[in-house]
Amino acid sequence: MTALLRYQTGLLLRSQRWLPPVLLYVIFLGIGVRVGEPVLGALGWAAAALVPVTAWLVRICLDQEPPAARHVVAAAAGRQRGHLAAVLTAAATTGLLALLATPLVTYVSRPTSADYSAYVAPLPAGLAGAVAAGVAVLTGTALGTLCSRPLVLGRGWSTAATLLGSLLVLVTTGSPAHHAVTALVTGSRDGTPHIPGLALLGAGALAAAAVALACRLTAWRE
């Protein structure tokens, strides 16, 4: 698996296809995060933006190989392992973004509640933001996996499903990403960092189920 991960990472870096989603995330941060704004609200915005970015990167990693190269990898390591390596590469890339962005957003934001009446300790706030970012990455991984091959084959349909799915998982009650972002927004109102631990477990289970289904289907359909 280590060799497959290195192979997928090399493909992603050389293709430079990672640039558009990464730039999109930077734009999201530039629009939604301001120096001196309440910290928990800013962290909630940064976490929410990771959902579509992660889903996009998953689609990129799953489609970046030419068919001939994908067949060679399948013959050497198996289709399921190759598919899993592509998904893990995308998730790790977005996880790195989250690791860089969360401390930065925490540093430039003001450690107060939304109405500036209560102090919010930066360390617990950063921890809550990091957990919420993890929830967003896992949710985006599940979404990107379900909206890509072998479940959705057409690029147009895949793009539409990814965009619509990103919106739905952020606004639908019961979604781990919605729960995590809401926890930060609610915490910003009362000045208490709420760590979305249950949402993290739910997002992990959802991502694992989605990836397992896609890996099983890729061995059958392709």
Side-chain angles (χ1 to χ4, degrees):
M1 182 58 71
T2 301
L4 287 173
L5 291 173
R6 287 200 303 265
Y7 166 68
Q8 290 289 345
T9 302
L11 281 179
L12 182 63
L13 293 177
R14 287 194 300 271
S15 70
Q16 299 185 359
R17 293 182 180 179
W18 55 272
L19 274 172
V22 170
L23 289 176
L24 176 64
Y25 187 61
V26 173
I27 291 172
F28 271 132
L29 293 183
I31 293 173
V33 177
R34 295 286 186 272
V35 176
E37 287 191 349
V39 61
L40 291 175
L43 287 169
W45 176 270
L50 285 168
V51 173
V53 171
T54 304
W56 191 358
L57 275 167
V58 169
R59 290 185 60 247
I60 288 173
C61 287
L62 287 175
D63 292 334
Q64 66 181 345
E65 286 180 285
R70 190 159 64 243
H71 292 321
V72 171
V73 171
R79 294 191 184 277
Q80 295 188 56
R81 288 168 59 85
H83 201 86
L84 176 61
V87 174
L88 291 178
T89 299
T93 302
T94 320
L96 179 60
L97 279 180
L99 287 176
L100 295 174
T102 301
L104 177 62
V105 173
T106 304
Y107 177 75
V108 303
S109 301
R110 183 178 296 184
T112 63
S113 60
D115 59 2
Y116 301 99
S117 63
Y119 175 75
V120 179
L123 186 58
L127 179 59
V131 174
V135 173
V137 169
L138 289 170
T139 304
T141 299
L143 176 63
T145 302
L146 294 175
C147 294
S148 303
R149 66 172 186 88
L151 286 93
V152 181
L153 300 179
R155 290 190 177 183
W157 288 113
S158 177
T159 301
T162 301
L163 292 174
L164 180 60
S166 297
L167 176 62
L168 289 177
V169 299
L170 288 172
V171 302
T172 303
T173 302
S175 162
H178 174 79
H179 179 81
V181 174
T182 301
L184 290 177
V185 173
T186 303
S188 183
R189 293 171 183 166
D190 58 23
T192 304
H194 300 292
I195 298 177
L198 290 178
L200 183 63
L201 294 176
L206 180 64
V211 173
L213 174 63
C215 289
R216 177 68 62 88
L217 288 179
T218 196
W220 175 59
R221 293 186 64 174
E222 299 186 15

